[in-house]
Amino acid sequence: MGRFTDVAYAAYAKRLTRQLGAAPVPRHVGVMLDGNRRWAKARGAGASEGHQAGADNIVNLLSWCDEVGVEVVTLWLLSTDNLNRPEAELRPLLGIIQKAVDTLAEAHRWRIHPVGALDLLPAETAARLKAAEETTRDVDGMLVNVAVGYGGRREIADAVRSLLHEHAGRGTSIEELAEVIDVEHIAEHLYTKGQPDPDLVIRTSGEQRLGGFLLWQSAHSEFYFCEAYWPDFRKVDFLRALRAFGDRHRRFGA
């Protein structure tokens, strides 16, 4: 029965790939890796087992993105709100994230770029994220943003703070800055500065809200909500998201 299921699954994946045809491929895909704890609870397991199962699925996703030509992926691994979880859950979770990011860096297939308020993280976690970025700086591969200690509101506040510091250093007065500031000035100070905005944002686990993910950058993104918990997210789920993206007519507010 298992072999039959595997064959049927492979055939379905091939059919989905054919259906994509010449459909546009998103340059930047944002993914909210949601549902690890609920996945674990449904199996009578602990939260750490769910987080580890989720971490184990990350390389699969990045490989699928590579196959279709995605240029940038943003993975939301830990929000600023998650930092308020009980220490008994948070400490193991941070350890799992650190190991997952180390694994991505060691593969030397992708360029790692941490996005988030690293100053809110334990020193070891922040150091490991920065080391992964440095190790992969010259890799000629897909750019992978790892969002750890990330919150969309915090990112915008940090961008405005950075902008103010920059202009204060130039001697620009608040009144002068108020006369010229526009959205592009703020965009230049986001964690993702210089990157294309996400074309497609995927959230697993059946939840249909952004929860603060890429609030600024997702103004014109397409959204795809998947019922599967993140550890169960399969290639066919990814291909369905691409198919839905290809079927939409993007108006960019026009």
Side-chain angles (χ1 to χ4, degrees):
M1 182 67 178
R3 179 172 175 77
F4 174 78
T5 303
D6 290 344
V7 171
Y9 174 86
Y12 180 48
K14 287 182 179 179
R15 181 156 63 89
L16 282 172
T17 301
R18 287 196 301 270
Q19 289 175 356
L20 292 177
V25 173
R27 291 183 65 195
H28 182 172
V29 177
V31 187
M32 305 172 71
L33 318 180
D34 195 22
N36 293 338
R37 292 193 295 177
R38 280 169 285 168
W39 180 91
K41 183 177 180 180
R43 287 160 176 74
S48 290
E49 292 177 73
H51 294 314
Q52 185 60 60
D56 292 341
N57 202 25
I58 290 173
V59 170
N60 290 331
L61 171 71
L62 298 183
S63 298
W64 304 331
C65 289
D66 265 341
E67 288 176 10
V68 298
V70 173
E71 298 175 20
V72 184
V73 177
T74 299
L75 306 170
W76 199 8
L77 303 181
L78 187 78
S79 72
T80 49
D81 291 338
N82 294 156
L83 293 172
N84 296 320
R85 288 182 178 178
E87 182 72 10
E89 179 184 353
L90 182 59
R91 185 178 294 275
L93 174 55
L94 287 170
I96 290 169
I97 289 172
Q98 289 170 189
K99 290 179 182 177
V101 174
D102 286 347
T103 297
L104 298 183
E106 289 165 4
H108 222 62
R109 294 173 59 186
W110 306 291
R111 284 179 294 135
I112 309 301
H113 176 58
V115 295
L118 298 188
D119 57 302
L120 297 181
L121 301 175
E124 181 186 358
T125 303
R128 296 270 282 272
L129 293 173
K130 292 174 184 176
E133 179 174 37
E134 186 59 34
T135 299
T136 60
R137 187 175 301 279
D138 296 326
V139 173
D140 184 19
M142 187 169 62
L143 176 61
V144 179
N145 296 315
V146 287
V148 182
Y150 176 86
R153 290 179 175 178
R154 172 66 186 243
E155 178 181 23
I156 294 169
D158 282 349
V160 173
R161 187 178 300 110
S162 174
L163 175 66
L164 292 174
H165 280 307
E166 177 187 295
H167 281 271
R170 297 177 184 175
T172 308
S173 70
I174 290 294
E175 292 76 14
E176 290 170 330
L177 181 57
E179 288 295 320
V180 299
I181 191 171
D182 61 21
V183 295
E184 292 306 319
H185 288 110
I186 295 174
E188 289 168 0
H189 291 266
L190 295 172
Y191 302 147
T192 58
K193 60 189 175 189
Q195 301 178 19
D197 287 339
D199 302 293
L200 173 65
V201 174
I202 300 171
R203 181 167 188 166
T204 59
S205 85
E207 302 290 348
Q208 298 191 22
R209 60 180 184 274
L210 278 181
F213 185 49
L214 300 175
L215 289 178
W216 182 284
Q217 299 91 328
S218 65
H220 298 299
S221 300
E222 298 295 329
F223 299 97
Y224 184 82
F225 300 104
C226 175
E227 292 296 323
Y229 294 140
W230 169 245
D232 286 334
F233 189 79
R234 305 166 299 165
K235 185 175 184 178
V236 292
D237 298 309
F238 176 67
L239 294 174
R240 287 170 179 155
L242 293 185
R243 181 177 63 184
F245 174 80
D247 287 343
R248 297 178 190 177
H249 176 61
R250 305 186 71 197
R251 297 179 178 82
F252 299 98

